[in-house]
Amino acid sequence: MAEISFDDFLKVDIRKGTIVRAEPFPEARKPAIKLWVDFGDEIGEKKSSAQITAHYNPDVLIGKEVMAVVNFPARQIGPMRSEVLVLGLPDTEGEVVLLTPDKSVPNGARMY
C-alpha cells in the first residue's frame, strides 16, 4: 500500500450530498443508474453515473444521503457527463454499497 501525506489527502474533496433525482442508464456499458446529487449552495447539483444496480433501483435512491469526490475532472460516460464520483464499498459479491453518513449533516459538508 502506497503512503500519502496528509496534504495529499486534503487534495481529495469528499462531500456529502443528497440524491434528488435518479434514472436508469441503459446506454451505459455496464448496468448503471444516473444520479443527480445536491451538494448545497457552494457546489450545487451535480450528475453522476453509478454502477449500483445490484442493491438499488432509482425509486429508492431519492433522498438518500451519499458521499462523493467532487473535484475530479468530469468524465463522459456514453451520452452523459459524470461530474462527481459517488463513493461505495464492495460487498462479499463485489457489488457496490453506497457510503452514507450515519447521521444527517448539511449538503456540501466536507469529509476530513
Side-chain angles (χ1 to χ4, degrees):
M1 173 173 33
E3 289 187 13
I4 63 170
S5 71
F6 188 71
D7 288 338
D8 289 334
F9 170 74
L10 290 177
K11 292 176 186 175
V12 181
D13 193 352
I14 300 172
R15 304 282 182 124
K16 180 266 182 174
T18 300
I19 298 172
V20 294
R21 185 172 154 201
E23 297 177 358
F25 192 8
E27 304 92 348
R29 280 193 317 242
K30 294 182 181 178
I33 298 173
K34 295 180 198 177
L35 303 174
W36 285 259
V37 184
D38 178 9
F39 291 97
D41 292 338
E42 180 184 347
I43 296 169
E45 187 177 296
K46 299 291 182 180
K47 295 180 290 188
S48 186
S49 169
Q51 295 174 0
I52 56 173
T53 57
H55 292 297
Y56 307 97
N57 64 57
D59 299 342
V60 302
L61 289 168
I62 307 304
K64 187 161 193 62
E65 295 180 336
V66 294
M67 302 301 295
V69 176
V70 298
N71 66 334
F72 282 148
R75 288 183 57 193
Q76 192 70 36
I77 307 208
M80 178 184 175
R81 235 169 125 68
S82 185
E83 302 170 300
V84 297
L85 176 65
V86 175
L87 299 174
L89 298 167
D91 66 10
T92 57
E93 304 297 317
E95 301 294 346
V96 177
V97 175
L98 293 170
L99 284 179
T100 63
D102 71 347
K103 300 217 184 306
S104 187
V105 296
N107 285 339
R110 185 169 182 180
M111 188 185 90
Y112 291 102

